[in-house]
Amino acid sequence: DKLSIISALFLGFGRIANFLNSELVGLPTSKPWCVVFVNVDNLCRHPVQIYEALKNFFIFSTLLVIDGLKLKGKVKLVKGALFALFLTMYGLLRFLTNFYRDEPLHYGLNTGQWLGIGLFIIGIALWVKLHARAKNNS
């Protein structure tokens, strides 16, 4: 659970590094916040790396708040619940942010979106399993 919180933070820093290195660029756009990655081309593109960094910082903040509430006894969570929540949130938000990423499509979605769907399903399944186990043990 604790590792999930830290992982979200470092995944955010990783996406900022992708932005600085002109990696994993977004689709071309005319939005006022578009960015030209001169190492890639001269097109104005979505700064999808920043979207993804914000997504990861949001997940980090959410998990940190929930963990803090758990430590204060205001929220009761089963062991592994934060990890399941991390997978669920990461999967869903990655699916959404990857609509702006410039990647080839496979059956209508890009690789990141397929990964996001898989992580979301695994996160939900883990959440259900953890809570069913806790219910049976009580």
Side-chain angles (χ1 to χ4, degrees), residues 52-64:
E52 292 185 31
L54 292 172
K55 164 201 70 160
N56 291 321
F57 294 143
F58 171 76
I59 294 170
F60 166 74
S61 300
T62 302
L63 295 177
L64 191 63

Side-chain angles (χ1 to χ4, degrees), residues 7-132:
S7 296
L9 179 64
F10 283 102
L11 284 167
F13 292 144
R15 289 300 182 228
I16 291 172
N18 293 141
F19 178 78
L20 296 173
N21 292 326
S22 301
E23 302 166 336
L24 309 173
V25 297
L27 292 169
T29 185
S30 60
K31 299 289 183 195
W33 57 85
C34 68
V35 175
V36 176
F37 296 97
V38 293
N39 295 345
V40 177
D41 53 30
N42 287 321
L43 299 176
C44 206
R45 297 176 171 274
H46 279 282
V48 73
Q49 314 92 323
I50 300 300
Y51 303 165
E52 292 185 31
L54 292 172
K55 164 201 70 160
N56 291 321
F57 294 143
F58 171 76
I59 294 170
F60 166 74
S61 300
T62 302
L63 295 177
L64 191 63
V65 166
I66 293 171
D67 189 50
L69 292 172
K70 178 182 153 192
L71 291 173
K72 292 178 182 176
K74 296 185 181 200
V75 172
K76 227 178 170 186
L77 293 175
V78 298
K79 189 174 184 176
L82 285 178
F83 177 62
L85 185 58
F86 168 78
L87 291 177
T88 304
M89 290 174 58
Y90 186 87
L92 174 65
L93 295 174
R94 178 161 184 170
F95 177 81
L96 295 174
T97 57
N98 271 238
F99 276 109
Y100 300 100
R101 200 158 170 187
D102 194 2
E103 284 188 353
L105 300 181
H106 310 281
Y107 302 103
L109 300 173
N110 64 40
T111 305
Q113 289 174 306
W114 285 111
L115 178 64
I117 291 170
L119 290 173
F120 178 79
I121 291 169
I122 291 168
I124 294 292
L126 180 59
W127 182 271
V128 169
K129 182 177 179 174
L130 290 170
H131 285 81

